């Protein structure tokens, strides 16, 4: 063997060794990342866009309808996408989609959590690492459409599967013909390869959605093969769901998850040259059509593994967390905090009737209302609350807090506001228990009608099973409705250096105001501040507003 061959073999060995080293380093980095992330609240990732999660959720709702759903307005009012991101310690789209769906709906008094599985992963690091590693290799693909694909699998059959097999064989026929008629063999091989490349691209453009969905589905089933070998409380169920689908893993090579490596590009072109994606597509589809329920069950089983890990981590990483209890009436909590705040102030809660919360600007009213609402959602979806203890009667959660006008629908701010509040009224009229959370009730209209309409709404709701928490600056409501509601307030301390807040919930209505004091801390002209004080003093003495005269 001459030196050229030795150099060639050395180069191949060097390349192969480099690939092995790169793969080893990638595994080490993955293991380090997984170990370091445990016990930490995750943040936003490049994947798991809300648009993609909503697509999957639409399919999930068809498969598993819930007794109550968190509608879009409530979801955005409470910044629940950010809360989801704090919980979302998932490594695959299967897990992220399952967690998102779980946080968007629930059955009353029956959170869809597997507490045995959650406890298992919290205590068993080797199994937890093995499961997370397998899901990390599967990875995340936004808009994978896999669940939607499973719902409509019988509508995607590719006609003429024999044509793909013939086209895939032609390059091999050309190679064999080279040894008999070299020129004809070379021409046939080149022509068939070029034709297959062009034909594939033309057909692929029309089938891109199906091929992408198929790719992630096949890789998910391949991951299930590995996961079914890990000893977990759901191992038997996972094996049973995987068994009818295991033959699909033979096509995992064709439907690899794209990572962008040079080797992957080469292998993709080889597959295209022999029409392997189309040939494998119909083969996989035949199995999926016959075993669709098994595939849907498998998808759900895999999702629950990652959901359990995410919930276990959220409970461990949160400064305070507990499992709620479900009661016949009322909402009670100790040490309740907002899960998105870095330095939250804990408050207790004993909520048995409609509550009015008054207080100065920036005193903590809205934050407290949101913390209660968010925990009513978390308690009923992931069986977790950010409190020392939390108990509630099962019920819908509906908010009207960050209302905006809707130009496309032609709705003014006030119209948008009364539509938002009407969602609470409709559920209450049906005799259902609903927790309603309203910030600055009916602020989009004039003072007299706002107070009158707000009092009427609260009075009507007090005769239903609804529990409503209203944050308002209208101190008149605390007096008008004192026989029907409980009054709470937040307060402040005004000093020469500014305004400070304790962010603690106090009993009774607010008795102080800070808006004018805040003007002073922002260096507003003294005449403005003095005139404002004089007007307030005159109103509080006579209950009528004096006429403002031209300043001198």
């Amino acid at each position: 063997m001459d030196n050229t061959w030795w150099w060639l073999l050395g180069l191949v060995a060097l390349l192969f060794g480099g690939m092995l080293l790169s793969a080893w380093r990638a595994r080490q980095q993955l293991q380090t990342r997984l170990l370091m992330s445990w016990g930490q609240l995750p943040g936003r990732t490049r994947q798991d866009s809300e648009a993609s999660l909503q697509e999957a959720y639409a399919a999930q709702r068809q498969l598993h309808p819930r007794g109550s759903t968190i509608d879009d307005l409530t979801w955005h009012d409470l910044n629940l996408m950010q809360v989801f991101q704090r919980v979302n310690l998932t490594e695959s789209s299967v897990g992220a989609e399952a967690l998102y769906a779980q946080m968007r709906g629930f059955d009353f008094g029956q959170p869809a959590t597997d507490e045995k599985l959650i406890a298992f992963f919290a205590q068993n690091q080797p199994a937890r690492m093995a499961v997370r590693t397998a899901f990390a290799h599967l990875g995340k693909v936004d808009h994978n459409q896999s669940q939607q694909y499973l719902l409509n699998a019988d509508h995607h059959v590719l006609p003429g599967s024999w044509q793909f097999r013939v086209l895939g064989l032609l390059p091999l026929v050309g190679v064999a013909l080279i040894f008999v008629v070299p020129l004809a063999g070379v021409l046939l091989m080149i022509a068939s390869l070029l034709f297959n490349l062009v034909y594939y691209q033309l057909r692929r453009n029309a089938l891109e959605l199906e091929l992408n969905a198929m790719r992630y589905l096949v890789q998910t089933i391949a991951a299930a093969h590995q996961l079914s070998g890990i000893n977990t409380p759901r191992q038997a169920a996972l094996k049973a769901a995987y068994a009818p689908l295991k033959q699909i893993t033979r096509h995992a090579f064709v439907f690899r998850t794209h990572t962008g490596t040079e080797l992957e590009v080469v292998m993709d072109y080889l597959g295209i040259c022999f029409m392997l994606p189309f040939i494998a597509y119909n083969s996989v589809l035949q199995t999926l059509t016959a075993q669709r329920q098994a595939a849907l069950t498998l998808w759900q089983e895999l999702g629950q593994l990652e959901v359990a890990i995410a919930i276990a981590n959220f409970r461990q990483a949160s400064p305070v967390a507990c499992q709620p209890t479900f009661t016949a009436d009322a909402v009670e909590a100790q040490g309740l905090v907002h899960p998105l705040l870095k330095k939250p102030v804990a408050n207790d809660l004993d909520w048995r009737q409609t509550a009015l919360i008054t207080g100065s600007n920036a005193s903590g009213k809205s934050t407290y209302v949101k913390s209660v609402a968010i925990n009513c959602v978390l308690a009923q979806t992931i069986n977790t609350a950010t409190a020392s203890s939390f108990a509630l009667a099962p019920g819908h959660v509906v908010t009207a807090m960050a209302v905006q006008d809707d130009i496309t629908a032609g709705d003014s701010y006030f119209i948008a506001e009364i539509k938002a509040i009407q969602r609470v009224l409709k559920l209450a009229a049906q005799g259902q228990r609903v927790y309603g959370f309203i910030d600055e009730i009916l602020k989009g209209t004039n003072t007299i009608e706002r107070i009158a309409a707000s009092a009427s709404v609260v009075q009507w709701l007090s005769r239903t099973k609804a529990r409503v928490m209203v944050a308002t600056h209208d101190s008149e409501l605390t007096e008008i409705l004192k026989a029907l509601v409980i009054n709470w307030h937040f307060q402040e301390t005004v000093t020469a250096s500014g305004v400070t807040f304790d962010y603690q919930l106090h009993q009774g209505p607010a008795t102080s105001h800070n808006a004018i004091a805040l003007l002073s801390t922002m260096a507003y002209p003294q005449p403005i501040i003095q005139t404002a004080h004089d007007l307030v003093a005159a109103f509080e003495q006579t209950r009528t507003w004096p006429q403002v005269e031209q300043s001198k």
Side-chain angles (χ1 to χ4, degrees):
M1 184 180 294
D2 58 29
N3 289 336
T4 301
W5 285 106
W6 285 114
W7 278 107
L8 183 60
L9 289 173
L11 180 61
V12 171
L14 184 63
L15 290 173
F16 185 70
M19 291 172 60
L20 290 177
L21 178 61
S22 177
W24 178 82
R25 291 180 61 183
R27 285 195 298 271
Q28 293 299 113
Q29 291 173 355
L30 173 62
Q31 293 300 301
T32 300
R33 179 178 68 80
L34 295 179
L35 284 169
M36 295 298 293
S37 64
W38 180 255
Q40 304 295 320
L41 292 173
R44 185 175 182 177
T45 63
R46 289 179 300 169
Q47 296 89 8
D48 298 334
S49 71
E50 186 158 16
S52 173
L53 294 169
Q54 287 176 336
E55 289 175 0
Y57 175 55
Q60 185 75 5
R61 288 183 66 178
Q62 295 181 54
L63 294 169
H64 305 287
R66 298 295 186 187
S68 181
T69 59
I70 309 301
D71 65 24
D72 289 342
L73 183 55
T74 300
W75 183 262
H76 293 117
D77 276 355
L78 299 177
N79 303 115
L80 285 172
M81 187 62 191
Q82 293 181 41
V83 178
F84 164 81
Q85 290 164 351
R86 288 290 185 94
V87 184
N88 185 26
L89 191 76
T90 62
E91 298 295 328
S92 74
S93 292
V94 181
E97 291 170 6
L99 178 62
Y100 183 85
Q102 184 154 333
M103 292 182 67
R104 291 298 303 254
F106 55 89
D107 292 321
F108 297 112
Q110 299 176 341
T113 55
D114 186 335
E115 291 300 328
K116 182 179 179 181
L117 188 63
I118 293 170
F120 172 81
F121 283 128
Q123 300 165 7
N124 194 319
Q125 185 190 58
R128 183 177 70 235
M129 282 292 293
V131 170
R132 293 188 69 197
T133 300
F135 278 116
H137 289 152
L138 173 60
K140 295 185 176 184
V141 178
D142 279 359
H143 305 286
N144 60 74
Q145 302 287 326
S146 295
Q147 291 189 79
Q148 294 91 326
Y149 186 86
L150 286 175
L151 285 173
N152 302 287
D154 54 344
H155 301 303
H156 297 276
V157 177
L158 292 180
S161 60
W162 65 270
Q163 298 174 2
F164 302 131
R165 297 182 184 277
V166 171
L167 291 174
L169 286 173
L170 284 179
L172 297 177
V173 173
V175 171
L177 193 59
I178 289 174
F179 296 98
V180 181
V181 185
L183 181 58
V186 170
L187 291 175
L188 177 60
M189 181 183 69
I190 294 175
S192 60
L193 289 175
L194 290 175
F195 179 85
N196 286 355
L197 287 171
V198 173
Y199 183 75
Y200 175 83
Q201 291 301 327
L202 291 174
R203 291 299 302 269
R204 184 183 184 277
N205 290 336
L207 296 167
E208 186 170 6
L209 184 65
E210 287 83 354
L211 289 172
N212 288 339
M214 177 73 77
R215 177 178 293 108
Y216 198 72
L217 265 174
V218 172
Q219 288 302 312
T220 300
I221 295 168
H225 171 67
Q226 181 180 354
L227 287 161
S228 64
I230 302 172
N231 184 19
T232 70
R234 301 293 283 262
Q235 185 181 29
L238 189 58
K239 283 185 174 180
Y242 168 71
L245 303 165
K246 61 182 179 181
Q247 61 180 317
I248 289 178
T249 58
R250 295 180 302 176
H251 304 287
F253 166 79
V254 178
F255 293 107
R256 296 180 312 282
T257 301
H258 284 163
T259 58
T261 64
E262 293 82 357
L263 179 61
E264 181 186 84
V265 172
V266 172
M267 300 309 293
D268 276 348
Y269 273 105
L270 284 176
I272 292 171
C273 288
F274 298 104
M275 289 284 125
L276 294 182
F278 291 152
I279 295 171
Y281 179 91
N282 276 349
S283 177
V284 171
L285 186 59
Q286 183 178 5
T287 303
L288 286 176
T289 302
Q291 302 292 340
R292 185 171 69 166
Q293 188 55 53
L296 290 170
T297 301
L298 179 65
W299 189 276
Q300 183 179 9
E301 287 292 333
L302 293 173
Q304 287 306 306
L305 290 177
E306 284 219 272
V307 167
I309 291 174
I311 294 174
N313 180 73
F314 181 69
R315 291 176 181 175
Q316 179 171 322
S318 296
V320 59
C322 69
Q323 288 180 233
T325 57
F326 293 94
T327 61
D329 195 19
V331 182
E332 300 174 280
Q334 292 183 332
L336 180 74
V337 299
H338 194 298
L340 295 180
L341 298 182
K342 292 183 179 180
K343 296 181 179 179
V345 175
N347 275 287
D348 294 341
L349 174 66
D350 186 4
W351 184 22
R352 299 176 184 276
Q353 64 188 104
T354 293
L356 291 184
I357 304 180
T358 49
S360 304
N361 298 291
S363 60
K365 301 187 304 297
S366 297
T367 299
Y368 179 74
V369 172
K370 287 182 178 181
S371 68
V372 175
I374 289 171
N375 276 284
C376 285
V377 172
L378 294 180
Q380 298 185 92
T381 56
I382 63 171
N383 202 34
T384 306
T386 53
S388 300
S389 66
F390 193 85
L392 81 164
H396 299 281
V397 180
V398 180
T399 65
M401 303 188 75
V403 178
Q404 296 179 340
D405 56 4
D406 189 342
I407 297 176
T408 58
D411 290 345
S412 66
Y413 179 90
F414 183 66
I415 295 298
E417 188 176 25
I418 61 177
K419 284 183 175 180
I421 294 173
Q422 190 177 40
R423 293 151 50 242
V424 180
L425 302 179
K426 285 182 177 179
L427 289 170
Q430 296 169 9
Q432 300 191 53
R433 184 183 302 279
V434 54
Y435 297 108
F437 301 88
I438 306 173
D439 192 18
E440 300 299 340
I441 185 170
L442 299 180
K443 68 179 180 180
T445 190
N446 64 82
T447 303
I448 294 175
E449 290 187 296
R450 177 176 67 249
I451 292 171
S454 297
S456 298
V457 168
V458 172
Q459 180 194 39
W460 186 87
L461 286 170
S462 68
R463 298 194 294 264
T464 71
K465 294 175 67 176
R467 293 288 182 273
V468 183
M469 192 174 287
V470 180
T472 180
H473 283 291
D474 293 322
S475 56
E476 295 89 344
L477 290 175
T478 64
E479 184 66 26
I480 296 172
L481 295 167
K482 64 182 180 181
L484 301 177
V485 305
I486 184 171
N487 279 299
W488 297 327
H489 74 276
F490 286 84
Q491 61 190 32
E492 76 289 331
T493 301
V494 181
T495 64
S497 58
V499 181
T500 58
F501 306 97
D502 63 9
Y503 302 113
Q504 293 289 335
L505 185 70
H506 300 272
Q507 298 298 312
T511 57
S512 62
H513 310 282
N514 75 347
I516 299 175
L518 286 173
L519 298 182
S520 180
T521 63
M522 297 298 291
Y524 268 55
Q526 187 58 35
I528 293 177
I529 296 168
Q530 186 59 52
T531 300
H533 279 303
D534 293 343
L535 289 170
V536 168
F539 177 81
E540 290 181 342
Q541 183 176 2
T542 65
R543 307 310 295 176
T544 60
W545 288 106
Q547 183 176 345
V548 178
E549 299 179 355
Q550 180 69 39
S551 60
K552 297 179 180 180

